[in-house]
Amino acid sequence: MVTFLSGGTGTPKLLSGADDVFDPAETTVLGNTGDDVELGGLHVSPDLDTVLFERGGVLDRETWWGIDGDTEETHAFLHELASAAGLEAGPRYLPDERQTEGRELARWRRFSGVAEFMTIGDRDRAVHLTRTGLLDEGRSLTAVTRTLADAFGLAVDLVPMSDDPLATMIHTPRGEMHFQEFWVAHRGEPAIEAVEFRGEPRATVPVEKALEDGVVIGPSNPITSVGPIRAVGGVEERLADAPVVVVSPFVEDRVFSGPAGDLMAAAGYEPSTAGVAECYPFADAFVLDSGDGTKLDRPVVRTDTTMDSREDAERVARAVGEALEVLA
Ligand code: GDP
């Protein structure tokens, strides 16, 4: 059995080539839900959905979110309507008192659907409608995710990090904002003063089980993708006990994509592979790029870690397999 901790880009890329190395029937993917929002009443789980769509064979691989070939008619008309009505685009948070009432899963991440600030495709929206509908019927996010995974024909087990809410909040000179406002509405531009994980999520039984065997932390953002998973009660202790292999999202101090460098610096770590190793004291082995000369005090397997294709991902997955064997 092996468990991958996943955000929405680096680890899903790795998973795209993992099938021949790790039997999908023996693989669990533990997804970050710190980026989840409730937008116009719909529960959107961006990182779970990227895994759902990638493993389900329908992901838009240009953007690494959404469904390939999806249309955006509803989204476009929401903007036309708001503009005609003279409504400002937003992101439009619901008032403070509306953040904590009603459905528990949505705390501190509730946005009005007026002029929808995230682009939600029409089919993508059907997934969010189904997810929210099943939650409203009383099912847990874990159960709903399993149902959606079956619908998309996933061979791996996809498990959200918790059934409880956690909102990743970014503190900036412009004020505090949800990670999705920071990343989608402001394109990651505001300076980052601090990262806060708001909420007290507990581990579910499937999460506890998933951390009993080998754990792979793919090249996901250590702060906003893996950080929320580590903030789930009991997870950090379990990671300390499990054999853990980490794939670096850096080549020395060069990041492949996204805001990982700035977020690492804001959290007090060097934005580099050395900083990643410091950030993960429980890591037992690392997979680094062949061009990454970082000296670490734990075992290292090197390969070309750029993943532009499934073949690339399979090469990195093989290196992960080797690293896990070193620990066996
Ligand atoms: P997010 O949820 O979209 O932020 O995605 P993740 O946290 O899962 O992944 C973001 C990280 O993936 C970034 O820090 C990138 O450096 C890393 N990444 C993206 N592409 C590659 C790649 O081809 N190879 C490696 N090693 N890392 C990558």
Side-chain angles (χ1 to χ4, degrees), residues 6-13 32 35 47 179 183 219-222 224-225 247-250 255-260 305-308:
S6 184
T9 311
T11 309
K13 272 191 184 181
N32 169 40
D35 295 357
D47 288 358
F179 179 77
W183 186 238
S220 277
N221 186 319
T224 51
S225 289
V247 182
S248 180
F250 290 85
V255 75
F256 281 88
S257 62
T305 60
T306 302
M307 295 182 285
D308 290 331

